Amino acid sequence: MILWTDDVPSGYERLIELGATPVKSPEPWLDRLLIVWVEDPDGHLVQVVQATS
């Protein structure tokens, strides 16, 4: 699943607060996106993405 947001760091922290497990902390990708990966409580991987340009 991919979730788009205007604020990846805040979304990442909120998902962790709600019980998600961190998989990969926020990092730039392709010089135009900021991405992060978490695992939801049911074990599904979720990617949170923000356009940076």
Side-chain angles (χ1 to χ4, degrees):
M1 173 186 291
I2 299 174
L3 300 175
W4 287 86
T5 183
D6 292 330
D7 189 351
V8 161
S10 291
Y12 176 69
E13 292 301 319
R14 183 67 178 137
L15 288 170
I16 301 305
E17 289 172 8
L18 293 171
T21 302
V23 174
K24 192 161 191 153
S25 58
E27 66 178 34
W29 190 62
L30 297 177
D31 295 326
R32 58 187 170 93
L33 299 173
L34 183 62
I35 64 169
V36 65
W37 288 91
V38 298
E39 185 177 293
D40 74 13
D42 293 324
H44 301 105
L45 285 175
V46 178
Q47 182 183 40
V48 184
V49 182
Q50 171 185 343
T52 58
S53 58

